[in-house]
Amino acid sequence: MAPSEQKALPVPAHIGIIMDGNGRWAKKRGLPRTAGHKAGAETFRRIATYCGEIGVKYLTVYAFSTENWKRSEEEVSGIMRLLDRYLDEALQDLDKKKVRACFYGDLSRLSPELRKKCLEIQERSKDYELQVNFCFNYGGRMEIVQAAQRFAQEVQSGKRAPEELTEALFENYLYSAGVPDPELIIRPSGEQRTSNFLLWQSAYSEYVFMNVLWPDFSPADLDAAIAEYHRRNRRFGGV
Ligand code: IPE
Ligand code: IPE
Ligand code: MG
């Protein structure tokens, strides 16, 4: 597809990205894994800015999974430090960047200081347009289980009846309540699996797997993924 042709096609309103490949990027360079995460955080800043420029409304990024705690203490604390730095910077530039930041995940396992910053930025940015959903200590299965627990509690307290539950109602209990499902999910790094990302929301998403490591991912790669998305024939079960 010629670039001019692609520009004319609508940009997906919601794009999900599994930001994978930081460790391999660092290893290739003989650097510690945390250097890969640092480079990946810079790529995230660049891609989020680009998404705003091309008119994406929602960007959901997978930054840390419920399974990533299995990694070394050194790697996990390095990732926490990067999150902390990003939050400080985002809090400072809130009015300049105009990004609405939301967190998908169980923040209760983060340090109280980090959690407080996450909630503060979420609250202070809630009127901005480009919504970036950070999946941090996120797991798709955990999200569904927690939603089921919350619904069950409402049944127990008499606020809801079991037969009221529909797909549309259930969505209100997910982190993504009110956010349309992603049309496109991109996974760089060459892996071809969901790794527990947006299990409910991705039922009809188009997956694009790319052979580039996240720190090397560029706006041109995003354009290529969007072009691939436009070549897909979305049927939603119809013909
Ligand atoms: C993604 O990159 C970042 C996190 C999961 C936190 P990885 O750290 O998984 O990088 P690879 O897959 O080992 O290359
Ligand atoms: C998925 O990547 C999680 C993030 C990118 C945050 P992983 O690297 O953790 O996934 P697996 O282990 O390859 O499935
Ligand atoms: Mg990985």
Side-chain angles (χ1 to χ4, degrees):
M1 194 180 303
S4 54
E5 213 179 317
Q6 190 196 321
K7 288 272 177 303
L9 293 167
V11 176
H14 186 174
I15 297 178
I17 304 182
I18 300 173
M19 303 190 292
D20 194 23
N22 296 348
R24 278 163 283 174
W25 182 93
K27 192 169 178 215
K28 262 174 55 183
R29 287 164 178 73
L31 296 169
R33 293 180 61 86
T34 36
H37 296 310
K38 187 162 178 273
E42 274 149 32
T43 300
F44 160 71
R45 288 173 175 84
R46 215 161 36 241
I47 295 299
T49 303
Y50 185 63
C51 282
E53 286 165 9
I54 64 174
V56 173
K57 295 271 177 286
Y58 304 92
L59 172 66
T60 302
V61 290
Y62 204 7
F64 192 86
S65 76
T66 46
E67 289 73 50
N68 287 147
W69 295 102
K70 291 177 192 160
R71 298 184 180 197
S72 72
E73 207 280 315
E74 188 195 351
E75 181 169 352
V76 171
S77 58
I79 292 170
M80 295 299 156
R81 270 197 304 278
L82 284 168
L83 174 66
D84 191 41
R85 195 176 310 162
Y86 176 75
L87 292 170
D88 284 342
E89 183 191 296
L91 277 166
Q92 235 171 28
D93 293 350
L94 216 55
D95 301 327
K96 207 162 75 206
K97 294 248 165 78
K98 300 201 185 319
V99 166
R100 174 174 184 182
C102 292
F103 288 87
Y104 288 8
D106 182 3
L107 300 183
S108 71
R109 211 171 151 183
L110 306 190
S111 73
E113 298 78 35
L114 261 184
R115 192 164 62 239
K116 192 166 155 266
K117 283 184 198 175
C118 292
L119 298 177
E120 184 185 347
I121 195 163
Q122 198 159 266
E123 174 56 30
R124 285 180 49 199
S125 68
K126 67 180 189 310
D127 295 324
Y128 292 130
E129 281 247 312
L130 165 65
Q131 180 169 332
V132 177
N133 305 310
F134 291 95
C135 296
F136 208 91
N137 192 21
Y138 173 88
R141 287 182 172 178
M142 184 191 71
E143 179 183 28
I144 293 168
V145 167
Q146 287 187 351
Q149 281 176 344
R150 285 173 54 206
F151 179 75
Q153 279 156 4
E154 291 188 4
V155 169
Q156 200 173 37
S157 69
K159 189 174 164 207
R160 295 270 183 201
E163 55 280 10
E164 268 181 80
L165 191 61
T166 59
E167 290 182 13
L169 181 66
F170 191 71
E171 283 173 354
N172 295 322
Y173 297 86
L174 299 171
Y175 294 121
S176 56
V179 173
D181 290 340
E183 295 99 313
L184 166 64
I185 296 182
I186 303 167
R187 181 164 193 165
S189 92
E191 307 302 347
Q192 304 196 356
R193 54 178 169 264
T194 71
S195 300
N196 207 6
F197 185 52
L198 301 183
L199 295 185
W200 174 281
Q201 300 85 345
S202 65
Y204 276 99
S205 301
E206 295 298 332
Y207 258 96
V208 174
F209 298 105
M210 302 178 84
N211 265 324
V212 52
L213 301 171
W214 175 248
D216 291 328
F217 192 91
S218 67
D221 291 313
L222 191 80
D223 286 344
I226 295 173
E228 168 62 21
Y229 163 79
H230 283 299
R231 285 191 288 271
R232 303 279 175 88
N233 179 5
R234 306 185 76 198
R235 286 185 291 275
F236 300 98
V239 286

Short mmCIF file of all heavy atoms in Angstrom, two decimals, residues 20-21 24 71, ligand 3:
data_model
loop_
_atom_site.label_atom_id
_atom_site.label_comp_id
_atom_site.label_asym_id
_atom_site.label_seq_id
_atom_site.Cartn_x
_atom_site.Cartn_y
_atom_site.Cartn_z
N ASP A 20 7.01 -6.08 23.91
CA ASP A 20 7.88 -7.22 24.22
C ASP A 20 9.21 -7.16 23.44
O ASP A 20 9.26 -6.64 22.33
CB ASP A 20 7.13 -8.52 23.87
CG ASP A 20 7.80 -9.74 24.46
OD1 ASP A 20 8.54 -9.60 25.45
OD2 ASP A 20 7.56 -10.84 23.93
N GLY A 21 10.24 -7.72 24.06
CA GLY A 21 11.53 -7.85 23.38
C GLY A 21 12.63 -6.99 23.98
O GLY A 21 13.74 -6.94 23.44
N ARG A 24 15.80 -9.18 25.05
CA ARG A 24 16.60 -9.65 23.91
C ARG A 24 17.35 -8.50 23.26
O ARG A 24 18.48 -8.65 22.79
CB ARG A 24 15.69 -10.36 22.88
CG ARG A 24 15.40 -11.80 23.24
CD ARG A 24 14.23 -12.35 22.49
NE ARG A 24 12.96 -11.88 23.07
CZ ARG A 24 11.77 -12.11 22.55
NH1 ARG A 24 11.67 -12.79 21.42
NH2 ARG A 24 10.69 -11.68 23.14
N ARG A 71 10.44 -12.75 37.65
CA ARG A 71 11.78 -12.32 37.24
C ARG A 71 12.63 -11.93 38.45
O ARG A 71 12.11 -11.80 39.55
CB ARG A 71 11.66 -11.17 36.25
CG ARG A 71 10.90 -11.64 35.01
CD ARG A 71 10.82 -10.57 33.97
NE ARG A 71 10.10 -11.07 32.81
CZ ARG A 71 10.13 -10.52 31.61
NH1 ARG A 71 10.88 -9.44 31.42
NH2 ARG A 71 9.45 -11.03 30.62
MG MG B 3 9.22 -11.10 26.73
#
